[in-house]
Amino acid sequence: MKKVLACAAVALNLLAIAAAANAAPIQWTVSDTSFDDGGTVSGSFVYDADTNVYSNIRLTTTAGTAGAAATFSTRCTTAHCLASLPELLFIASSNQADLTGVPLLDLEPSAPLTNTPGTVDLAFGMSFLCSNAACTGVGPGLRAAFSGTLTGVPYVAPATPTSVPTTSPVGLALMATLLAAATWVYRRRRS
């Protein structure tokens, strides 16, 4: 009976490890995306489909004839933005109380993003400045993208740096003094 329980425990642990390995978030990289005004979109973000959480958002647009360059590091979470799913809406501000004049980036994948690595075509994308506080309207700088790709690979979080212990200058001076004293005692005994 103990062997059966031990085998069952091992099997359950292996299943738990396999399930945890499959639940890894995916880093999606935007590439080959150009706006109709000559500007481009590049960068990446991490998405966990199990929890619907976006993180490490690092997207940038370059200037074109209609729109300006902007950096996007936040997902738009106003009621209007959330109602427009499955579009991916990113803003260039962390303050979502008043988005008037804030650049918005809209990326619309051709298929929902999952926790499976692969490539998803970009069905449509656009960039503009929000015209009001909730960003329910399109302001100036409107430009569109009609092609591009989102390439997903398993996200590997950067390793946290470990601190290397060091000795303070006072500690080094004390150690040198003790070493000198030990050397003096050793030589004194030898002679």
Side-chain angles (χ1 to χ4, degrees):
M1 185 66 169
K2 288 183 181 180
K3 286 185 180 181
V4 171
L5 289 175
C7 288
V10 169
L12 287 174
N13 281 333
L14 290 174
L15 285 174
I17 291 169
N22 289 335
I26 300 294
Q27 180 170 339
W28 293 95
T29 302
V30 180
S31 58
D32 301 324
T33 306
S34 297
F35 291 114
D36 54 5
D37 73 342
T40 61
V41 180
S42 61
S44 65
F45 58 91
V46 175
Y47 177 62
D48 187 341
D50 292 338
T51 59
N52 194 31
V53 171
Y54 291 81
S55 60
N56 293 352
I57 301 167
R58 294 183 180 104
L59 298 167
T60 58
T61 58
T62 59
T65 57
T71 301
F72 301 88
S73 58
T74 305
R75 182 168 178 235
C76 184
T77 57
T78 66
H80 173 70
C81 291
L82 293 177
S84 55
L85 293 174
E87 299 171 25
L88 309 177
L89 301 175
F90 301 102
I91 55 173
S93 170
S94 59
N95 176 14
Q96 300 204 20
D98 184 359
L99 297 176
T100 306
V102 172
L104 181 129
L105 175 63
D106 175 2
L107 298 176
E108 298 179 30
S110 61
L113 301 181
T114 65
N115 280 352
T116 304
T119 301
V120 176
D121 289 330
L122 186 68
F124 179 72
M126 68 178 166
S127 177
F128 57 86
L129 299 179
C130 295
S131 66
N132 56 35
C135 202
T136 57
V138 175
L142 176 64
R143 54 194 180 157
F146 299 100
S147 65
T149 57
L150 295 168
T151 305
V153 297
Y155 175 67
V156 178
T160 55
T162 58
S163 62
V164 177
T166 59
T167 306
S168 69
V170 173
L172 286 174
L174 182 60
M175 191 177 353
T177 304
L178 290 174
L179 186 57
T183 304
W184 180 78
V185 169
Y186 175 75
R187 285 187 178 175
R188 174 104 180 172
R189 286 187 179 172
R190 290 215 48 184
S191 48

